[in-house]
Amino acid sequence: MKRGFSFSVTVVVSAIVFIYFCTVFVFIDRWFGLMTSPGIMNAIAFTGVAFMCVLNYAYAILADPGRVPSSFMPDIEDPEVPIHEIKRKGGDLRFCQKCSCFKPPRAHHCRVCKRCILRMDHHCNWINNCVGHANYKVFFVFVVYAVIACIYSLILLVGSLMNDSQNDKQHSADTFRVAYVISGLLLVPLSVALSVLLGWHIYLILQNKTTIEYHEGVRAMWLTEKGGTVYKHPYDLGAYENLTTVLGPSIFCWICPFSRHIGNGLRFRTAYDRVSTSSTSK
């Protein structure tokens, strides 16, 4: 699938442009005045958030989510790889019939992109791309900035309306009624939906799971409990290590669109690595 502009991406870009101009040139201007110190500070702050939002959105669209090398071959005798993912039926190593290649751990075939994606989370129509190993962090950071921008804009919208009512500028406010109504209809559901999405991905990151692995884990948990054992997600290293694995080793780079720490996506640390390491040291 060709990455870039689609109808969904056009809708998102149009919404971003509309909300930005309404926020800066209507809400901030009518509440503080663009030429005042509070107005300039709020305009600069919101522009910074909007810029980071657009930057991460563009990168999430254009970045390759992670391509499986044609030469990839799982080595079942490698002592550094304590677990191998197998098919539910038959127990064979996972092999993609459509791509004619073995699947690395956490990789899945995307029917839309028509290829296997490393550490695939889901296919997102709003970025016209898969969310996978190479662009997951930038997708998450985009959602963070989008939530901040929506809530910030909503606060400025409400403040602007309250300021107009206090100063009895009803006739002047009628001129911008359409901008207020459309912005409100966009910002309220967007703030709620994006906040829920952000909360969901924070939960996944803390568990070191993808969306696909969460749904697979629900079934695995049911099967293990049925068999009288306890299921543990193999890639769960603990909350803090899960955060650093996905977002980076330094807290200062967590909201930056850089992913130099993620590796090649063919092998991931597991809880069994620590078990084997501790048993070896003994």
Side-chain angles (χ1 to χ4, degrees), residues 179-208:
Y180 280 114
V181 170
I182 295 177
S183 296
L185 290 174
L186 283 173
L187 288 169
V188 172
L190 276 176
S191 297
V192 173
L194 288 171
S195 295
V196 171
L197 181 64
L198 177 61
W200 168 246
H201 280 282
I202 289 174
Y203 165 78
L204 290 177
I205 289 174
L206 290 173
Q207 301 289 320
N208 201 0

Side-chain angles (χ1 to χ4, degrees), residues 67-240:
R67 185 180 296 273
V68 177
S70 57
S71 60
F72 173 75
M73 181 69 67
D75 185 0
I76 59 174
E77 296 182 356
D78 186 355
E80 294 186 1
V81 183
I83 62 170
H84 292 275
E85 295 182 1
I86 58 175
K87 293 181 180 179
R88 289 184 218 166
K89 296 180 180 179
D92 297 326
L93 291 172
R94 298 191 310 144
F95 185 85
C96 182
Q97 300 292 341
K98 296 177 181 177
C99 296
S100 299
C101 67
F102 283 99
K103 293 180 182 178
R106 315 183 82 175
H108 295 274
H109 186 87
C110 176
R111 290 175 293 179
V112 181
C113 296
K114 297 180 180 178
R115 64 184 177 92
C116 287
I117 305 296
L118 295 175
R119 195 187 179 274
M120 180 177 171
D121 187 89
H122 69 287
H123 183 89
C124 180
N125 290 324
W126 298 109
I127 65 172
N128 194 32
N129 198 4
C130 261
V131 178
H133 176 68
N135 68 344
Y136 179 81
K137 180 189 173 181
V138 78
F139 171 80
F140 175 78
V141 174
F142 158 68
V143 175
V144 171
Y145 282 112
V147 169
I148 295 172
C150 285
I151 294 175
Y152 193 176
S153 180
L154 196 57
I155 291 171
L156 291 170
L157 184 154
V158 173
S160 176
L161 281 174
M162 291 178 64
N163 184 64
D164 282 345
S165 62
Q166 288 175 0
N167 294 335
D168 195 22
K169 295 181 180 178
Q170 187 61 42
H171 176 71
S172 178
D174 289 342
T175 310
F176 299 97
R177 185 183 298 275
V178 174
Y180 280 114
V181 170
I182 295 177
S183 296
L185 290 174
L186 283 173
L187 288 169
V188 172
L190 276 176
S191 297
V192 173
L194 288 171
S195 295
V196 171
L197 181 64
L198 177 61
W200 168 246
H201 280 282
I202 289 174
Y203 165 78
L204 290 177
I205 289 174
L206 290 173
Q207 301 289 320
N208 201 0
K209 293 179 181 178
T210 64
T211 300
I212 294 174
E213 288 168 352
Y214 169 81
H215 292 293
E216 289 180 340
V218 170
R219 183 177 183 275
M221 190 180 299
W222 178 78
L223 289 173
T224 53
E225 287 179 355
K226 189 177 179 182
T229 56
V230 178
Y231 171 78
K232 178 174 174 57
H233 182 57
Y235 301 103
D236 186 0
L237 307 173
Y240 182 75

